[in-house]
Amino acid sequence: MRIDVVSIFPDYFAPLHLSLVGKAISSGIVELGVHDLRGWTHDRHNTTDDTPYGGGAGMVMKPEPWGEALDALEELDLAPMTIVVPTPAGRPFTQELAYELAAKQRLVFACGRYEGIDQRVIDHCVEHYEVFEVSLGDYVLNGGEVASLAVIEAVVRLLPGVIGNPESLAEESHSAGNESLLEYPNYTKPPVWRGREVPQVLLSGNHGLVAKWRREQAVERTRRRRPDLLTPDGRA
Ligand code: ADE
């Protein structure tokens, strides 16, 4: 997969070279391009924002640098571009959407700051590319950078060859094969830590009992923490 990111803070994306995503890049599963939007400005101050038409607080990102940035990325002629625009006004980001994005050939993250990007840029994108406006949740970040990092990590770990044991993807919270249950609690050695014992059933070696216990834990956790994930009658 090819991933491009356009931001006025390209340094935000340095951590993508760490850990699993970093390995995906160095092994060639992911090709990453991080671009400074200011490279497509032409004034002395590299201006990327201006006051909003109609008045109001805050600044809006100017359309011209974004237009040039998108044209330049398209000219690289790598694969059809799917544009991801992080915004609190977007579609809620879910594991399902992560799988949908993981199937794309090329993702381009357009990171807005301030009060967002001039709407004409989004309208232009919708006309020329596939576009996903995505929200991380019902809270406001200072810009799209942190949201892009989260989406990139969630997507890249789904690509074939990134996670050593693909079965772990099926077991975790929010995965499709998991009926939208939160994941059960996990334990490792030692069997007693600060007087707290690992649940006996996990030491029993009885796979059937372990599976039953884990499912009960997952359902109970989901009922307590995220009842909205269960059907109206409370069943998983
Ligand atoms: N940009 C600012 N807030 C955001 C959020 N909650 N999700 C995605 N992008 C954002």
Side-chain angles (χ1 to χ4, degrees):
M1 169 182 274
R2 167 80 191 192
I3 297 177
D4 289 286
V5 181
V6 182
S7 163
I8 58 169
F9 293 118
D11 291 349
Y12 257 102
F13 298 92
L16 289 177
H17 292 280
L18 304 173
S19 187
L20 278 178
V21 179
K23 278 197 197 123
I25 293 169
S26 53
S27 70
I29 296 173
V30 169
E31 194 187 341
L32 177 70
V34 177
H35 313 274
D36 187 346
L37 180 69
R38 294 193 198 279
W40 288 285
T41 59
H42 303 289
D43 63 312
R44 226 160 33 94
H45 301 289
N46 302 118
T47 311
T48 54
D49 62 331
D50 207 335
T51 53
Y53 276 123
M59 300 291 271
V60 177
M61 294 193 101
K62 295 163 65 59
E64 301 95 322
W66 280 109
E68 288 192 29
L70 292 163
D71 291 351
L73 294 182
E74 191 178 359
E75 276 163 26
L76 295 178
D77 221 5
L78 295 169
M81 305 202 297
T82 297
I83 315 290
V84 180
V85 186
T87 162
R91 165 176 164 189
F93 186 59
T94 60
Q95 191 65 13
E96 188 187 1
L97 184 46
Y99 274 102
E100 200 174 332
L101 294 177
K104 308 296 177 190
Q105 288 179 272
R106 184 178 185 197
L107 300 179
V108 175
F109 289 82
C111 302
R113 282 261 139 187
Y114 320 112
E115 300 306 308
I117 305 172
D118 187 301
Q119 181 61 36
R120 290 168 293 180
V121 175
I122 314 302
D123 297 344
H124 165 85
C125 285
V126 168
E127 200 173 310
H128 293 272
Y129 315 106
E130 183 177 32
V131 178
F132 291 84
E133 290 185 80
V134 173
S135 169
L136 225 54
D138 293 337
Y139 46 82
V140 179
L141 304 166
N142 286 334
E145 284 77 9
V146 167
S148 292
L149 284 170
V151 172
I152 290 169
E153 180 160 316
V155 167
V156 168
R157 63 193 296 282
L158 300 179
L159 300 177
V162 172
I163 299 253
N165 176 8
E167 275 178 31
S168 60
L169 290 178
E171 298 235 327
E172 63 198 8
S173 302
H174 306 298
S175 78
N178 201 23
E179 306 163 280
S180 293
L181 292 177
L182 300 184
E183 194 178 1
Y184 49 79
N186 284 296
Y187 300 85
T188 185
K189 292 174 262 315
V192 184
W193 177 75
R194 298 194 179 181
R196 296 170 188 275
E197 291 181 12
V198 171
Q200 279 303 311
V201 60
L202 298 179
L203 311 176
S204 70
N206 183 327
H207 299 304
L209 276 183
V210 168
K212 179 168 173 288
W213 181 85
R214 284 181 167 164
R215 184 175 157 75
E216 287 165 359
Q217 292 288 315
V219 170
E220 189 44 37
R221 237 186 196 190
T222 309
R223 188 166 288 144
R224 262 186 286 114
R225 298 180 183 177
R226 293 292 306 277
D228 56 298
L229 295 178
L230 301 171
T231 55
D233 62 356
R235 295 166 67 91

